[in-house]
Amino acid sequence: MKKLLTFPLLILLLFGGGCGDVLYIEDTTVMLVLGIDEGKDKKFTIYQMSPVFSKEASEKSQLLEVQANSLREAKQYFDVMSNGTVVTGKIQIIIFSKEILKKYEPMNIIDYIYRDAKSSANAQIVMFNGPLDEIMRFETPDKPRFGLFLNNLINSSYKNETTAKTTAATFRKQMSEKGITPYIAELKIMKDGIRVTGIALLDENGKYVTSIDIYESALLLLLTRQVDEPVPFVVQLPTKEEVVTMNIFNTNYNNNVKTVNGQLQFDLHLNMDVSIEEVSSDNHPIKNKKELIKLIEKQIEKQAEELIKKLQQEEIDPLGLGVYARAYAYNHWKKVEDRWPKEFAKSKINVHTKVNVKDHGIIDRTFE
């Protein structure tokens, strides 16, 4: 009986699996990169980059550019200009120019992406620091297809804790959450090619506010628990030319929230193990292990507090401390939830670190 039932099932799988809509690769244009910049006459300049599968083609990618009022209108133009129906389900990267994020709310621009069930929620959203035409026409002959190259570049930088990884799904969640302000990876063209330069920080409406470099980005990711340990970290010694390079791992977090005199106070506790990778110092001022631990703890707290002060000055909360406020100080949160970034700017935030040096290498310059 099992054999009799299995045979018809195999026939259905083999010949019935093609029922419904069928798209042949030669009849489709697979959009890998979507770029959005300022346009003419209050329109947007929208770019589409797609792979070319033809063996006869000399170029491995096709770049299209249109002026349109919306993404939906742009897609209609792309459908006419392309060899086949444009498919958005494989988009790897959505790139906004810095200028457009200064003036427009991005959720309104990419609304079509979220409403189209066939679009990719895993597309990464990034900001390019410069006119978008520069990066869309940047040639990478020795790299994979452009969309895959950018996707790999951001993934690699995220694993190295130098930038954020924000997908379309994550971005929508950040925008809908009152207790956090969104942030995305930032790209720039340098002399040696396209580089990830850190994280672009946005306000509660998604507009660009400021940027942080790769070192501040590592600290932000550490504070928000978005790290694949070990985390490479550099601590500056009292003399600027002297630094300690280390790896942070086994980090335990404990965030306490309370209200003091009508003001929220956050105490962020980080208990971490570190391994010393390098001590760059001619004088080698560190005399013992206790002194080293005290110095590392002090410097991490100082760098964290400087970053938090910068965020408070700009009234943005990529740390997501509003989520903790809602969980542990709900009565106060309900009073300020609609103006959380301003309340975050007034809050008192303390960072407390406890460092355990687990490894300092095998050379003579050890710490007893």
Side-chain angles (χ1 to χ4, degrees):
M1 180 62 70
K2 289 183 178 179
K3 291 181 179 179
L4 290 174
L5 291 174
T6 302
F7 183 72
L9 180 59
L10 289 173
I11 296 298
L12 287 173
L13 290 174
L14 289 172
F15 298 100
C19 296
D21 294 337
V22 178
L23 288 177
Y24 297 98
I25 191 69
E26 61 269 20
D27 297 330
T28 61
T29 297
V30 181
M31 185 188 300
L32 291 184
V33 182
L34 174 65
I36 306 164
D37 202 350
E38 287 188 292
K40 302 174 182 178
D41 300 325
K42 298 184 179 180
K43 292 185 177 183
F44 301 115
T45 300
I46 300 178
Y47 299 86
Q48 169 192 294
M49 185 170 288
S50 306
V52 177
F53 298 105
S54 174
K55 294 181 179 180
E56 291 77 17
S58 57
E59 300 291 335
K60 60 183 179 181
S61 297
Q62 178 189 43
L63 177 64
L64 299 178
E65 173 187 347
V66 298
Q67 299 289 314
N69 294 300
S70 68
L71 285 187
R72 185 67 184 88
E73 181 183 349
K75 184 178 181 300
Q76 290 178 316
Y77 293 143
F78 290 144
D79 283 337
V80 175
M81 299 165 65
S82 303
N83 294 329
T85 304
V86 175
V87 177
T88 59
K90 298 297 182 182
I91 297 177
Q92 301 293 303
I93 302 287
I94 300 174
I95 310 178
F96 287 97
S97 70
K98 181 177 180 178
E99 288 304 312
I100 206 167
L101 285 180
K102 284 182 177 180
K103 300 177 182 180
Y104 298 91
E105 297 180 12
M107 286 295 289
N108 293 335
I109 300 176
I110 59 174
D111 180 75
Y112 170 69
I113 297 294
Y114 294 108
R115 295 183 185 275
D116 183 6
K118 295 180 180 180
S119 294
S120 174
N122 292 322
Q124 297 198 56
I125 297 181
V126 304
M127 185 192 82
F128 177 67
N129 191 344
L132 209 58
D133 194 67
E134 290 183 6
I135 189 171
M136 297 303 295
R137 300 187 186 280
F138 191 83
E139 296 184 0
T140 55
D142 57 337
K143 301 292 191 300
R145 297 187 188 277
F146 192 67
L148 300 177
F149 161 67
L150 288 183
N151 193 43
N152 293 338
L153 177 64
I154 295 169
N155 287 338
S156 175
S157 298
Y158 177 68
K159 288 179 181 179
N160 292 325
E161 284 84 32
T162 56
T163 195
K165 181 180 179 180
T166 307
T167 65
T170 304
F171 188 68
R172 186 172 183 272
K173 184 177 180 180
Q174 290 177 349
M175 290 296 299
S176 62
E177 170 59 66
K178 292 182 178 180
I180 190 172
T181 52
Y183 49 92
I184 57 179
E186 181 173 338
L187 302 175
K188 189 176 182 179
I189 293 180
M190 313 292 280
K191 290 182 179 180
D192 55 348
I194 300 173
R195 290 289 174 266
V196 174
T197 57
I199 296 176
L201 304 176
L202 315 177
D203 65 16
E204 66 270 30
N205 297 315
K207 289 186 176 181
Y208 174 79
V209 176
T210 189
S211 300
I212 54 177
D213 61 26
I214 58 175
Y215 301 107
E216 293 172 309
S217 297
L219 188 54
L220 176 66
L221 295 176
L222 181 66
L223 291 172
T224 55
R225 313 186 188 194
Q226 297 183 68
V227 290
D228 289 329
E229 297 180 337
V231 183
F233 205 82
V234 177
V235 170
Q236 200 170 69
L237 299 178
T239 304
K240 290 185 178 181
E241 291 76 19
E242 302 171 336
V243 296
V244 174
T245 305
M246 60 188 179
N247 284 330
I248 297 174
F249 56 99
N250 294 337
T251 305
N252 292 316
Y253 300 84
N254 184 20
N255 295 344
N256 298 323
V257 186
K258 58 184 177 181
T259 304
V260 180
N261 298 325
Q263 182 185 33
L264 282 173
Q265 177 175 313
F266 297 87
D267 289 285
L268 312 181
H269 297 267
L270 290 82
N271 187 335
M272 62 186 70
D273 294 335
V274 304
S275 63
I276 305 301
E277 300 296 312
E278 178 186 37
V279 178
S280 177
S281 168
D282 293 334
N283 299 322
H284 193 50
I286 304 170
K287 298 177 182 179
N288 54 58
K289 191 173 181 179
K290 289 184 178 179
E291 182 181 346
L292 172 67
I293 291 174
K294 184 178 179 181
L295 177 63
I296 292 175
E297 290 175 342
K298 182 178 179 181
Q299 290 299 316
I300 291 178
E301 290 172 3
K302 179 183 177 182
Q303 291 179 37
E305 288 169 359
E306 288 175 351
L307 174 61
I308 291 170
K309 183 178 179 181
K310 180 177 181 178
L311 301 178
Q312 289 183 305
Q313 288 175 341
E314 300 291 353
E315 296 184 352
I316 49 177
D317 178 21
L319 298 174
L321 293 186
V323 177
Y324 289 94
R326 182 174 58 217
Y328 300 106
Y330 185 74
N331 291 334
H332 188 93
W333 163 260
K334 288 302 292 182
K335 299 175 184 178
V336 301
E337 61 176 328
D338 292 328
R339 50 182 173 85
W340 170 246
K342 293 186 179 297
E343 186 68 18
F344 167 79
K346 298 188 298 181
S347 301
K348 184 174 179 59
I349 305 171
N350 304 310
V351 179
H352 312 275
T353 60
K354 184 178 180 181
V355 169
N356 307 297
V357 177
K358 293 295 185 179
D359 182 27
H360 47 63
I362 60 174
I363 61 176
D364 292 336
R365 302 173 77 187
T366 55
F367 309 101
E368 303 298 336

